[in-house]
Amino acid sequence: MKTRENYKKYVYGLILPVIIVTVWQLVGSLHLVPPQLLPTPIAIIKAFIGLTRDGILFDNLSVSMYRAVIGFVIGGGLGLLSGLLVGFFRKTEYTLDPTLQMIRTVPHLAIMPLFILWFGFGEFSKVLLIAKGAFFPLYLNTFLGIRGIDSKLFEVTRVLEFSRFKQITKLILPSAMPNILLGLRLSLGMAWLSLIVAELMGANSGVGYMISDARQFAQTDVVFVGIVIFALVGKLTDSLVRKLEDRLLRWRDNYVGVDSK
């Protein structure tokens, strides 16, 4: 039954992309839009094969993946730790949260030139920008997840004489886990967005650099290859977190929508 449900989910998920690609190919084949502006999916696939055969795509993708992983681990890890500290301790909230909220509102495009002035065009400035993007979704959702727990549940744990450790492991973390996993998904997405900003503004390698270089030479098909790569890798990481959610949140009995039979 579960296998059938998963099969239906994948089939429904493919309907809209198939329609879009079909219409897109039809528009290109009928020359309704110049190929310099909108290459057909077949032309994009040919460009993808050429870049793969030459090793260009793999080299740039591996550099981008390295930057994204390092930046996410640093930023997401610090965001999770800060969210736990601010969520657990009110004095820490008063000390850290106002400053962090101010930093959160500074756009990437505004702070990137400063990073370049301070750290140059090297890897450190790019990883730092990715870390900044990955930090805040996990920080905010972890903080909100802890503070959103019903206070009546804490009264129950006191009646049951839970220790502080047992209170954290049996009540706080399980109750906050949906928010933490949501923050993880958003953090991964922001890491990819930050990576694009970093590589478009100053890099000599990476998928973002490949897109920027192709734009200068009007290679629209290569630009679309880069965009599709970002979309596919982003979707893959999001799906992995969704699988993690299914495993860790089995205890929830949530509304899953109306299924017409």
Side-chain angles (χ1 to χ4, degrees), residues 241-252:
V241 179
R242 290 288 298 272
K243 291 291 184 182
L244 184 63
E245 284 182 348
D246 292 340
R247 286 183 174 273
L248 295 179
L249 304 179
R250 288 177 179 175
W251 50 270
R252 293 197 306 176

Side-chain angles (χ1 to χ4, degrees), residues 12 23 43 46 104 121 127 141 149-150 163 169 175 192 205 222:
Y12 286 132
V23 174
K46 290 180 179 178
R104 182 177 66 87
F121 287 96
V127 170
N141 281 278
I149 302 172
D150 192 341
S163 64
T169 56
S175 299
W192 276 109
S205 60
V222 177

Side-chain angles (χ1 to χ4, degrees), residues 95-108:
T95 304
L96 289 181
D97 191 63
T99 302
L100 292 177
Q101 293 298 341
M102 285 191 294
I103 297 174
R104 182 177 66 87
T105 58
V106 179
H108 279 359

Side-chain angles (χ1 to χ4, degrees), residues 14-234:
L14 285 172
I15 291 176
L16 185 58
V18 169
I19 293 174
I20 292 174
V21 170
T22 302
V23 174
W24 183 355
Q25 180 65 41
L26 185 62
V27 169
S29 300
L30 295 176
H31 302 289
L32 299 178
V33 179
Q36 292 80 11
L37 296 179
L38 187 67
T40 63
I42 292 178
I44 295 171
I45 292 173
K46 290 180 179 178
F48 173 83
I49 294 172
L51 291 169
T52 304
R53 184 171 54 242
D54 296 338
I56 297 173
L57 182 59
F58 177 77
D59 291 342
N60 286 292
L61 180 59
S62 60
V63 171
S64 293
M65 290 290 292
Y66 172 79
R67 290 169 179 160
V69 169
I70 297 298
F72 170 75
V73 169
I74 295 173
L78 291 175
L80 178 61
L81 178 61
S82 300
L84 291 172
L85 291 174
V86 172
F88 283 138
F89 305 108
R90 192 175 296 275
K91 289 182 180 179
T92 310
E93 177 190 357
Y94 295 156
T95 304
L96 289 181
D97 191 63
T99 302
L100 292 177
Q101 293 298 341
M102 285 191 294
I103 297 174
R104 182 177 66 87
T105 58
V106 179
H108 279 359
L109 292 177
I111 204 170
M112 185 61 186
L114 188 62
F115 283 176
I116 292 174
L117 286 173
W118 284 350
F119 311 112
F121 287 96
E123 293 300 308
F124 188 72
S125 61
K126 298 177 183 60
V127 170
L128 195 61
L129 188 71
I130 296 167
K132 176 185 177 295
F135 176 89
F136 288 102
L138 257 171
Y139 165 72
L140 289 173
N141 281 278
T142 302
F143 171 48
L144 293 175
I146 294 173
R147 292 299 177 87
I149 302 172
D150 192 341
S151 60
K152 295 184 179 64
L153 296 176
F154 286 95
E155 296 296 331
V156 174
T157 61
R158 292 190 187 99
V159 172
L160 296 175
E161 297 182 347
F162 276 21
S163 64
R164 183 61 174 170
F165 177 78
K166 195 172 182 180
Q167 193 181 58
I168 292 173
T169 56
K170 298 298 183 180
L171 171 62
I172 298 176
L173 289 181
S175 299
M177 191 58 66
N179 284 77
I180 293 174
L181 291 174
L182 173 60
L184 180 62
R185 293 177 64 186
L186 296 175
S187 183
L188 284 167
M190 282 303 301
W192 276 109
L193 291 176
S194 304
L195 172 70
I196 297 170
V197 174
E199 292 186 342
L200 287 178
M201 291 195 66
N204 54 13
S205 60
V207 178
Y209 165 77
M210 186 181 75
I211 292 174
S212 180
D213 187 61
R215 176 185 57 81
Q216 295 181 15
F217 293 98
Q219 297 174 323
T220 317
D221 51 353
V222 177
V223 173
F224 271 97
V225 169
I227 293 172
V228 171
I229 290 297
F230 275 126
L232 290 177
V233 175

